[in-house]
Amino acid sequence: MYGPRTVRFVIALVAAGMLTVSAPWSVAGGDVQPRPLDCDHLEHVHPSPTHEACLAASESGGGSKGGSARDTFQLTDEPGNWFRSETTDTPVTILDVGGRVDFVAGHETDTEHTATLVIKPVGSRLSVDQDDARNGGVASATFDVPGVYVFLCKVHPYMTGVVAVRDRNGVIPPVTAQQLPFVRHLGVESLPAAAVLDVLTAVAPADADKRAKWDILGPADETRPAVPAIGEVWINTQFERVPGQADKDGVAKPGSITVVDAASFSVEREVNGLDPDARGRWNNPHNMWSDTRQDIVYNGHWFGRWHNRIERATGDVLETIDVGHAPTHTVTNPDEHSDQHGTLTLPLSAEQDVLAIRDNNGLDIFDSEPTGDGLNHPHGQWITADGEFMVVPNVFKGEGVAGSISIMDLDRFEVVREITGPAILMPVAAGIKGSSKAYVANIVSGQVTVIDLGTQQIVKNIPVTLTPDCRTGAQFSIFDTLQAPIQTPVSPDGRYVGVAVLSLTTVDRACTGSPDHVTIIDTATDTVVAHVGTSLRNSAGTHGANWGAKRGGGYYLHVANQHANHLGVVDPDPNGDSNGTDATLVGRVLLGTGPEVTDGVGGQGIKPLPNVYNGWIQDTVALTGQLHPEVDGWIAALTPCQRNPASTGC
């Protein structure tokens, strides 16, 4: 029932004396008794610089038994240390009851955030949430009950901070299944706080933590697909540490773009913020799109305020403009019959609007419109193949995790319908089948919402996440699975949705052999036909997915992993029988193996070129003979159906 990593995790707890287990996987006496914080124990379970931080918190920052203390979490742009305690220099701080934490988005971040309490001990009356993103002093919290409190930023939901509160005897109570249902799916009713922290992938402040939790592979682990793809794959390696890359105040900022030759599945080159036209304005590059000619790649910075125009052939950053807080995904209008053809759309996820941008050999913002009523925080939109409508997930609207899905008329550039529902909880990214159906991932409900674009109504919600004991269903939220669906692109032929499902822990599932996976949905029946594991050793953090052309016909789903240094390649139909039940991972391509643990790490946005989606590829094919010679070569290698996925028989 349980996968090898889950078994190793439980065995490690037993061996460390942190958990007493009787068969099968039950806790003796029905619970784990509270125990004093033991920093040496923490070192034994998970050796890292976190041990020294634990000692510092115990000796000073945590105060004395029964007393109170105060700490500040700086919200940062640093991978694995996004909520950085000024006491421990990690995302974890230790206080006594009555202690206080202030959350500050100051000089260490380039955009706006929230501090939102999502997990707390039973009996706590503490509530911390914002209806909007902000900078400066974001929030404060005074802790009323001993136990573990988990905070995140709703704009950037993998940003995580943890407050462990001791009782008057210096004890941190365990995390219970009532507090976090995920624990029960491990077969126990509670776990020590240190054990839970040990498997949270977003709590990884030091290189040792990242190596212990993230899926960092070496050359011997690489596997390349037997059948090549066509063109290039551009990946936002968002967490890569680039020496000398900093903002205007000299604060180091991560992120690069890694370009893979899809024919050989080898890294061609890298683009980063050291380019003179990006210097000081580059921070966590997040998502990309291309122009019709495939000459230009557009790129936004989710932890910043900038958007780039990049020359594809050379990687030269041609232009960087300020667009507003936390720009997310870029998608162009494919309607060649409209004067909006080629217009870039760009939501701002720390704000309420989507931008319309023209590229006339330079970027020009010419419109900005709200994506719904009130506070929206829009994210990964998609556009219909005919360019008529755009579907925009509004991640959260006010306090709580409820969001909405808006349908915008692109000719009028305004919302024509805003949809809510019980499953629409932090919707984050959309994909569209032609112009007929939209598929939207919801982080908190763990479901993909299907919308009929003809009637503009929800027709189905499809669960795609898995509990540790491999259960799935609408009754299991993110608190049962600690997994979140992210990107949901539909294959250019309209047959499959590939859903990138990110795990927040290193705990695997026996049914996939992996903490993370890709779910394949058959669009003819809107049912799940496969879950494909994407991690090899630890948690890959599967985040981004996009389809590219497979040589000889068909498509690969290229998968970007935010906690791994590799690109995954999924074949949804390896035997060509139009049945996705045998979908499989056919390659793990290394994106970096340098001296830095973060080399090639942070894959989130991903853009295979040429852009082979229905509605876009036909416009590029029409320019054959006028394109860059390399692009002309790519188009020549496409099959007739890949050149026109909407044609009869395709």
Side-chain angles (χ1 to χ4, degrees):
M1 179 168 65
Y2 296 98
R5 264 182 290 260
T6 305
V7 173
R8 288 199 300 270
F9 169 55
V10 175
I11 290 173
L13 294 180
V14 175
M18 299 177 71
L19 187 63
T20 302
V21 178
S22 60
W25 308 117
S26 63
V27 180
D31 200 2
V32 178
Q33 295 304 308
R35 56 187 304 276
L37 180 71
D38 184 342
C39 295
D40 291 328
H41 226 141
L42 180 60
E43 183 182 34
H44 175 77
V45 175
H46 185 47
S48 79
T50 306
H51 174 244
E52 283 71 26
C54 176
L55 290 173
S58 297
E59 295 169 0
S60 59
S64 60
K65 290 182 182 180
S68 63
R70 186 163 179 167
D71 198 357
T72 297
F73 270 121
Q74 291 288 341
L75 304 188
T76 82
D77 303 328
E78 180 186 348
N81 206 9
W82 292 285
F83 280 66
R84 185 182 62 76
S85 159
E86 291 187 352
T87 298
T88 69
D89 204 36
T90 77
V92 182
T93 191
I94 302 167
L95 303 175
D96 295 313
V97 172
R100 170 174 165 164
V101 168
D102 298 315
F103 300 90
V104 178
H107 73 284
E108 296 191 44
T109 184
D110 286 332
T111 191
E112 298 177 336
H113 302 280
T114 78
T116 301
L117 178 62
V118 292
I119 298 173
K120 63 183 180 180
V122 175
S124 172
R125 301 181 67 182
L126 179 63
S127 177
V128 182
D129 195 5
Q130 282 89 46
D131 60 357
D132 201 5
R134 59 191 74 172
N135 51 28
V138 173
S140 295
T142 300
F143 298 90
D144 58 349
V145 172
V148 173
Y149 298 75
V150 179
F151 295 81
L152 57 74
C153 169
K154 289 192 294 187
V155 176
H156 312 87
Y158 51 70
M159 292 178 63
T160 302
V162 179
V163 179
V165 178
R166 303 182 294 200
D167 65 17
R168 62 184 59 187
N169 297 313
V171 171
I172 298 174
V175 177
T176 68
Q178 186 177 358
Q179 177 183 2
L180 179 63
F182 177 85
V183 170
R184 184 171 290 119
H185 293 286
L186 291 170
V188 298
E189 285 302 308
S190 64
L191 285 173
V196 174
L197 294 179
D198 186 52
V199 298
L200 294 182
T201 54
V203 179
D207 284 357
D209 299 288
K210 293 176 174 65
R211 290 187 187 280
K213 295 182 177 184
W214 295 3
D215 212 30
I216 309 299
L217 306 184
D221 302 310
E222 183 175 47
T223 55
R224 299 182 181 181
V227 178
I230 296 170
E232 295 174 340
V233 185
W234 287 55
I235 305 109
N236 283 126
T237 35
Q238 190 169 322
F239 297 163
E240 182 168 306
R241 190 178 299 141
V242 179
Q245 185 169 284
D247 67 12
K248 61 181 177 57
D249 296 320
V251 179
K253 299 299 175 185
S256 64
I257 301 171
T258 302
V259 184
V260 171
D261 181 336
S264 63
F265 283 106
S266 59
V267 174
E268 279 187 352
R269 61 189 180 277
E270 186 175 287
V271 181
N272 58 44
L274 300 179
D275 188 291
D277 281 296
R279 191 176 293 274
R281 297 173 295 167
W282 186 281
N283 185 350
N284 281 263
H286 181 67
N287 211 270
M288 298 167 290
W289 200 260
S290 60
D291 71 339
T292 301
R293 300 181 62 88
Q294 313 297 283
D295 288 339
I296 301 296
V297 174
Y298 304 107
N299 175 65
H301 296 265
W302 196 23
F303 283 65
R305 302 185 304 275
W306 309 290
H307 199 255
N308 310 118
R309 185 172 180 268
I310 302 170
E311 185 175 56
R312 181 203 60 80
T314 65
D316 183 32
V317 180
L318 303 175
E319 183 182 13
T320 300
I321 64 170
D322 192 320
V323 293
H325 282 289
T328 62
H329 294 211
T330 302
V331 181
T332 60
N333 189 319
D335 183 4
E336 70 276 16
H337 304 297
S338 167
D339 58 5
Q340 300 301 318
H341 182 236
T343 293
L344 287 69
T345 57
L346 178 65
L348 303 175
S349 68
E351 302 186 24
Q352 323 314 326
D353 298 338
V354 61
L355 307 181
I357 306 174
R358 292 193 183 96
D359 181 6
N360 293 318
N361 293 317
L363 299 176
D364 173 40
I365 301 171
F366 70 92
D367 202 352
S368 176
E369 295 294 334
T371 58
D373 290 331
L375 306 173
N376 303 306
H377 307 94
H379 202 91
Q381 81 284 22
W382 203 273
I383 295 176
T384 55
D386 59 12
E388 184 177 1
F389 294 113
M390 178 166 66
V391 176
V392 187
N394 296 309
V395 179
F396 67 98
K397 295 175 71 68
E399 295 182 352
V401 295
S404 68
I405 300 168
S406 288
I407 301 173
M408 295 187 70
D409 182 303
L410 287 181
D411 282 337
R412 292 182 282 165
F413 206 61
E414 64 182 29
V415 173
V416 293
R417 181 165 173 75
E418 186 172 4
I419 301 170
T420 60
I424 300 177
L425 301 176
M426 293 188 72
V428 66
I432 296 178
K433 177 180 178 179
S435 299
S436 61
K437 283 192 294 187
Y439 296 82
V440 182
N442 296 282
I443 289 175
V444 172
S445 71
Q447 299 181 64
V448 172
T449 296
V450 186
I451 298 173
D452 184 313
L453 294 177
T455 63
Q456 298 184 354
Q457 300 289 331
I458 297 173
V459 295
K460 196 171 188 179
N461 290 296
I462 307 171
V464 294
T465 56
L466 299 166
T467 65
D469 47 353
C470 276
R471 300 169 70 189
T472 189
Q475 71 271 34
F476 300 124
S477 74
I478 192 172
F479 302 106
D480 293 274
T481 66
L482 292 184
Q483 287 185 335
I486 309 295
Q487 294 183 20
T488 55
V490 181
S491 59
D493 57 13
R495 294 179 181 175
Y496 304 109
V497 185
V499 186
V501 178
L502 181 149
S503 176
L504 303 176
T505 75
T506 59
V507 177
D508 69 350
R509 279 68 173 156
C511 47
T512 63
S514 168
D516 309 86
H517 64 268
V518 165
T519 294
I520 301 296
I521 297 171
D522 186 320
T523 63
T525 59
D526 284 336
T527 57
V528 171
V529 294
H531 297 297
V532 181
T534 49
S535 307
L536 185 60
R537 291 195 177 84
N538 292 307
S539 173
T542 297
H543 185 117
N546 248 320
W547 298 90
K550 177 181 175 182
R551 188 170 291 273
Y555 301 94
Y556 281 141
L557 182 68
H558 298 286
V559 180
N561 301 293
Q562 71 179 36
H563 296 151
N565 62 343
H566 52 86
L567 164 73
V569 183
V570 172
D571 191 331
D573 186 16
N575 63 1
D577 65 352
S578 299
N579 185 337
T581 57
D582 58 349
T584 188
L585 189 80
V586 296
R588 287 189 181 92
V589 180
L590 289 184
L591 302 177
T593 56
E596 298 275 4
V597 67
T598 56
D599 286 349
V601 174
Q604 290 177 49
I606 182 166
K607 188 59 192 160
L609 302 175
N611 184 350
V612 290
Y613 286 102
N614 182 28
W616 286 268
I617 185 59
Q618 294 94 331
D619 294 344
T620 303
V621 169
L623 298 175
T624 299
Q626 308 170 44
L627 303 170
H628 186 285
E630 187 175 28
V631 178
D632 266 335
W634 298 344
I635 300 304
L638 298 176
T639 66
C641 281
Q642 289 172 331
R643 294 185 188 191
N644 184 8
S647 61
T648 303
C650 296

